Amino acid sequence: MSEVKISAEPRTEFGKGGARRTRRAGKVPAVLYGHGEKPKHIALPAREFAAAIRKGGANQLFAIEVSDGTQVLALPKAIQRDPIKDTFEHIDLLLVRRGEKVTVEVPVELTGEAAKDTLIVHDHATLTVTAEATKVPDHLEASIDGAEAGVQVTAADVTLPAGVELAADPELPVATVTAAPTAEQLEATLPEVEAAAEEAEAEVGEETTAEGAEAAAAEGEETRAEAQTQA
């Protein structure tokens, strides 16, 4: 995976208020850590970071140039997103060096088509592997072509690129092929599915209202504090 160059600025404001101001400025709060170094708080351009993640995936390698002269290579270790807005809230970045091996979670893609009248259950969407920091694959592949009901694809069945080693349990289930339900079975479960969907929708609405009220209250506190400071 090729590295993406991205600029950054040192971050001096912390806490929820500082993080909100950083995001309002079109940036994402982040922290660089690793190799025994003191954690460095930075702000990344939100659009550039989002574009890189969309193209290269969650394990995209970044060549970060901080405005204070710091230049490092880093991999996203943890990415926090807003579940409603689908924006980035905070990013933990792990410092790496060329040639260094890292252990990361990589998405698994299933290839081919299973046998007729079957369904695929994704047991684990990612696998833990070890690879050179500059050669982490954006995805792994496992074939389900022609698989009959009852077949289980494990971590050992996943194709690994050269230089990539499996760090997960080889017997970890990745996907299971099951028999597709009949029309009668689907009709019998339909009322339960509809009831569950209505309940989930009601819970999301309640959470959204509560989060909106909390955000408005916090915004009001910040505005009052700034007004007092200016006075």
Side-chain angles (χ1 to χ4, degrees):
M1 181 184 297
S2 60
E3 62 198 57
V4 170
K5 292 184 178 181
I6 192 168
S7 59
E9 297 176 358
R11 190 160 53 93
T12 56
E13 285 190 302
F14 306 103
K16 292 184 178 180
R20 277 194 290 268
R21 284 187 285 274
T22 298
R23 288 190 286 269
R24 282 202 297 264
K27 302 182 183 299
V28 184
V31 62
L32 286 165
Y33 67 95
H35 292 158
E37 299 287 338
K38 182 180 179 180
K40 187 179 185 67
H41 297 272
I42 60 173
L44 298 170
R47 288 186 178 180
E48 291 180 30
F49 181 81
I53 292 297
R54 281 196 300 270
K55 184 177 180 180
N59 290 316
Q60 173 63 58
L61 179 65
F62 288 93
I64 302 174
E65 297 183 358
V66 188
S67 58
D68 63 4
T70 302
Q71 295 185 1
V72 296
L73 287 177
L75 284 168
K77 189 65 175 177
I79 299 177
Q80 298 177 21
R81 295 175 183 258
D82 185 304
I84 305 301
K85 301 177 182 177
D86 194 27
T87 54
F88 296 104
E89 293 285 287
H90 189 274
I91 305 154
D92 288 353
L93 295 156
L94 179 66
L95 295 170
V96 296
R97 300 188 181 100
R98 298 187 188 281
E100 175 185 14
K101 286 196 172 184
V102 294
T103 300
V104 294
E105 292 282 329
V106 178
V108 179
E109 293 184 4
L110 303 178
T111 62
E113 294 185 5
K116 186 179 180 181
D117 297 328
T118 60
L119 288 177
I120 308 302
V121 178
H122 292 260
D123 299 300
H124 288 87
T126 64
L127 278 184
T128 305
V129 299
T130 300
E132 286 190 22
T134 57
K135 297 180 180 179
V136 176
D138 59 356
H139 73 281
L140 303 171
E141 294 184 354
S143 175
I144 56 168
D145 198 37
E148 300 284 348
V151 170
Q152 187 175 69
V153 178
T154 66
D157 299 317
V158 176
T159 302
L160 298 179
V164 178
E165 299 176 358
L166 183 66
D169 182 349
E171 297 183 2
L172 183 73
V174 173
T176 303
V177 183
T178 64
T182 63
E184 291 77 10
Q185 290 173 325
L186 289 174
E187 290 179 2
T189 59
L190 187 58
E192 296 179 6
V193 173
E194 291 179 343
E198 291 177 0
E199 183 177 347
E201 185 177 350
E203 290 179 356
V204 170
E206 291 176 359
E207 290 177 2
T208 303
T209 301
E211 289 178 0
E214 183 179 346
E219 190 75 22
E221 290 179 4
E222 284 186 34
T223 302
R224 287 193 294 273
E226 291 175 358
Q228 290 175 0
T229 301
Q230 293 174 358

